[in-house]
Amino acid sequence: MTAPRTDESPSPETGTTPGPVAPGAHAVPVRAESDHTVLAHPDPAHTAPDHPDLGHKGPDRGAESPGRRHDPPGEPRAVVLPEARAVGGGGPRGRTAVTGPEAGAAAAPRWPSGDDRGVPSGRFLAKATLLTASLSIAAAVLGLLRDQSLARLFGAGRGTDAFLVAWTVPEFAATLLIEDGLAFALIPAFSMALTRRAQGVPGDPVRSLVAGTLSRLALAFAAVGALLALAAPQFVRALAPGLPDPGLAVDCTRLTATCVLSFGLAGYSSAVLRAHGRFLAPAGIYIAYNLGIVTAMYALGARWGVRSAAFGVAAGGCLMVLVQLPSLVKELFRRRPERGDRVPAAGAGAPSMNVPLLATVLLFALCRQSQVLIERFLASSLPAGAISHLNYAQKVAQIPMTLSMMLCTVTFPVVARALAEGDAERARIRVERDLAVAATLVLLGTAAVVACAPQLICLLFQRGAFTAADTAATAGVMRVYALGLLGQTLTGVLVRSYFSAGRATWYPVAAMTAGVVVTLWIGAWTVGSFGVTGIAAANATGITVTAALLLAGMRRRGVPVRTARVLRELSRPLRAAAIAAPAGGLVAALPGAPPAGLAAGGATVTVVFVLAGWALGAQEIAPLLRTVRTRTRRLADAVFR
């Protein structure tokens, strides 16, 4: 590959005649690993995208065509040079070169693979999603092994209930600091910093943001963890007043309190890496976490009892930070500082977090996770084992929801970057596609969970101290939980859209609060008559109310999705799932052995769901069938050729 030419003669590689070069400008070689380098005017303000925070109105996107910018008359123009293929595959793409004094900063690639606007290619998103999903599946398998080990070693009695009260701490910390809260605030912030770096803003906005936020957040995490450890007796008494062994729960809570700091650092690292388009290390953190817990239970369980699981939580949290540290250091120091770059130290003019945004994000995540508090508070007055049955049912039922959210984990930085650049239409298209894909996947999983619940629980947990009665109770609860999986998934997708612009908004908090009130009211009303099943029904109803409110408010407060179109598309896989679940349940009950029943029921659900969805015109089913047909034909050609 050659450097871009600086004269007026046609390029031998492309036949393109570049525009004139501004006086004093210099050519910068195009890097092979970058998909696109921006041919910028010497004044970076001429190519700044529209965004209210930048104080500059960039060129009208509606007047642009791919690979072309409309510069003022008489000014040097930008030309796209079609050169190399995108990293990771794809066809030839337009590539531009950089000239001018800001070339070094502007040449920084926005994503590992993308077009001239920094939009990641479909192939890159597919690969990133596949990688994230694969590692998440591995983590989910280890999570099941963790829960199996907990059930086998300690059963579903007083000790396990005590640990699960302490388990509330890492559950809250994961939601607040890794999965939802901190990521919703940090990814848009780092997306804006990367956009400003690509525009040639003096200094390094990314490192400045790290300097202004990391130390302060780490200090806050450590203080909250220490306070929680000191207040563990009061925490246990408030959370589960009817617990028969509060002393054990206090000991476990003090061990799990350490994860506030470790999860906070792990979540910060994940947000930085995902904003940079790096997904390998963040996707592997729960593998390390679950390995730490399982190892601790088997190594220390004989001496420490269920306290060994709490120690494993503390060790696993440290491993989550360590597995991301090399990638984080490499990414932050990948760009060599330019002459004159100065990264301010924390407290010395460095940018800080958007406090109103952080407050709304954390309050939303806190409200969402408070459903677990309500469940355990209500279940603490039921017979021993009720909290355990709720926990095991929830863990298995949420696997389809977790897998369906993998695409959104990858595309959330894409939506944030689009909004940072003022491209609301690109964000809308992405969000609508995410809603369709996630809903289709989670409804297929919901149908499978409802159809095969007894076989799943028996196969996963019924051994050791976990009895057949525990299997029946857990399976019944899990089927009710599954009815709220679509609401859980839609809430996860939609709330990312509300916060992806990097602005504080209280509407998601209000919607989640309404859902929590519904959960509490229905749970208190039904727990006396229906026990844990009533609690699960309250959870499903409350989160569905939240999802409906979030979808209703999107057009005015978030990304302007077409609500009627979204609802129409969601109704098709929903009807397919309603047909597939009873069909799969009938088939799953025929074989005597749980593995055979699970295999037969799961296959039936999949076939019926796909065929029904195709017949109903579900948006994501037809491409899936075409892909399967194409791959099958290729495989047959390879085998029988």
Side-chain angles (χ1 to χ4, degrees):
M1 184 178 295
T2 60
R5 299 171 62 86
T6 57
D7 55 32
E8 297 272 358
S9 60
S11 167
E13 294 87 347
T14 65
T16 304
T17 303
V21 179
H26 59 279
V28 177
V30 177
R31 298 187 303 169
E33 68 273 18
S34 169
D35 282 299
H36 296 88
T37 313
V38 180
L39 177 57
H41 188 281
D43 178 4
H46 283 268
T47 56
D50 299 339
H51 197 282
D53 295 338
L54 298 183
H56 174 76
K57 177 72 173 176
D60 181 11
R61 285 192 179 274
E64 294 181 359
S65 60
R68 181 179 179 92
R69 294 181 186 272
H70 295 271
D71 295 298
E75 297 292 345
R77 62 187 177 89
V79 183
V80 175
L81 306 179
E83 284 191 14
R85 300 171 75 87
V87 175
R93 297 177 180 273
R95 180 194 291 269
T96 53
V98 175
T99 59
E102 304 297 342
R110 298 182 180 185
W111 277 80
S113 180
D115 65 12
D116 60 304
R117 295 176 300 163
V119 182
S121 67
R123 179 167 294 190
F124 172 78
L125 290 178
K127 287 185 175 181
T129 303
L130 180 61
L131 172 68
T132 303
S134 300
L135 292 180
S136 296
I137 290 171
V141 170
L142 283 172
L144 287 175
L145 177 61
R146 176 201 68 209
D147 292 340
Q148 287 175 335
S149 301
L150 185 68
R152 181 173 184 173
L153 293 172
F154 311 114
R158 297 160 61 108
T160 310
D161 285 355
F163 167 71
L164 291 175
V165 171
W167 180 261
T168 305
V169 178
E171 283 183 318
F172 263 74
T175 299
L176 291 170
L177 305 177
I178 300 176
E179 297 164 8
D180 292 343
L182 201 61
F184 292 166
L186 286 176
I187 288 178
F190 277 100
S191 296
M192 177 58 68
L194 287 165
T195 299
R196 294 173 67 83
R197 173 197 275 180
Q199 293 164 352
V201 172
D204 189 337
V206 175
R207 294 185 195 172
S208 296
L209 183 58
V210 172
T213 57
L214 180 56
S215 59
R216 296 170 184 175
L217 287 174
L219 183 61
F221 299 149
V224 171
L227 180 63
L228 182 59
L230 290 174
Q234 292 77 18
F235 172 81
V236 170
R237 191 179 308 119
L239 182 60
L243 200 67
D245 193 354
L248 179 59
V250 168
D251 292 344
C252 292
T253 300
R254 284 177 170 151
L255 286 168
T256 58
T258 59
C259 75
V260 177
L261 175 59
S262 59
F263 279 29
L265 296 177
Y268 190 98
S269 303
S270 296
V272 174
L273 291 173
R274 285 171 176 157
H276 282 80
R278 307 298 176 184
F279 299 94
L280 176 60
I285 59 176
Y286 285 109
I287 294 177
Y289 175 63
N290 287 324
L291 281 175
I293 298 175
V294 172
T295 302
M297 283 195 292
Y298 280 103
L300 303 172
R303 287 181 293 171
W304 290 10
V306 79
R307 292 178 180 86
S308 61
F311 178 80
V313 170
C318 296
L319 293 176
M320 294 169 85
V321 179
L322 293 177
V323 297
Q324 295 184 98
L325 192 58
S327 299
L328 180 66
V329 172
K330 180 180 178 181
E331 199 59 52
L332 289 178
F333 291 94
R334 177 186 297 273
R335 175 180 178 269
R336 181 175 298 175
E338 303 291 333
R339 180 176 299 178
D341 277 6
R342 185 177 68 87
V343 179
S352 58
M353 285 297 303
N354 183 332
V355 176
L357 171 63
L358 188 60
T360 56
V361 163
L362 292 180
L363 279 174
F364 172 85
L366 189 65
C367 287
R368 184 175 183 180
Q369 197 62 23
S370 66
Q371 287 188 308
V372 177
L373 295 181
I374 294 171
E375 292 176 6
R376 291 179 182 167
F377 178 85
L378 295 174
S380 66
S381 60
L382 296 175
I387 295 177
S388 300
H389 296 151
L390 283 167
N391 174 74
Y392 294 132
Q394 187 182 57
K395 291 294 188 297
V396 179
Q398 285 188 345
I399 291 175
M401 184 267 291
T402 302
L403 296 179
S404 69
M405 293 294 295
M406 290 302 101
L407 176 64
C408 305
T409 300
V410 172
T411 59
F412 177 44
V414 179
V415 176
R417 186 67 66 86
L419 293 178
E421 295 171 356
D423 195 343
E425 178 66 11
R426 196 172 84 208
R428 180 192 63 77
I429 293 171
R430 183 71 261 170
V431 171
E432 288 183 357
R433 179 69 188 276
D434 290 351
L435 286 168
V437 173
T440 301
L441 292 176
V442 80
L443 286 169
L444 173 59
T446 299
V449 166
V450 171
C452 307
Q455 293 80 9
L456 269 170
I457 297 300
C458 180
L459 191 62
L460 292 174
F461 299 118
Q462 191 173 317
R463 58 183 60 84
F466 198 92
T467 66
D470 293 324
T471 295
T474 303
V477 173
M478 188 170 73
R479 278 177 162 155
V480 179
Y481 258 132
L483 301 179
L485 289 181
L486 178 61
Q488 295 275 8
T489 302
L490 294 181
T491 298
V493 178
L494 292 169
V495 77
R496 284 169 167 79
S497 304
Y498 278 95
F499 292 121
S500 56
R503 296 189 298 268
T505 172
W506 291 98
Y507 184 78
V509 179
M512 193 66 243
T513 302
V516 169
V517 170
V518 170
T519 300
L520 180 59
W521 180 72
I522 294 179
W525 179 50
T526 60
V527 66
S529 303
F530 300 98
V532 289
T533 304
I535 297 174
N539 182 299
T541 306
I543 197 65
T544 302
V545 168
T546 297
L549 291 173
L550 289 175
L551 183 58
M554 276 293 290
R555 177 172 291 276
R556 289 174 295 173
R557 300 175 180 86
V559 177
V561 300
R562 295 167 293 186
T563 307
R565 179 187 175 93
V566 168
L567 289 173
R568 188 166 56 250
E569 291 298 333
L570 292 179
S571 69
R572 292 165 180 161
L574 183 60
R575 284 178 281 167
I579 298 170
L586 290 174
V587 175
L590 295 178
L598 179 60
T604 302
V605 165
T606 303
V607 172
V608 173
F609 180 86
V610 171
L611 293 178
W614 175 73
L616 292 167
Q619 180 179 345
E620 299 303 320
I621 298 296
L624 175 63
L625 289 176
R626 285 197 298 269
T627 301
V628 171
R629 185 169 60 248
T630 302
R631 298 295 170 84
T632 303
R633 187 183 302 119
R634 289 178 180 175
L635 180 61
D637 291 342
V639 171
F640 298 109
R641 179 178 299 172

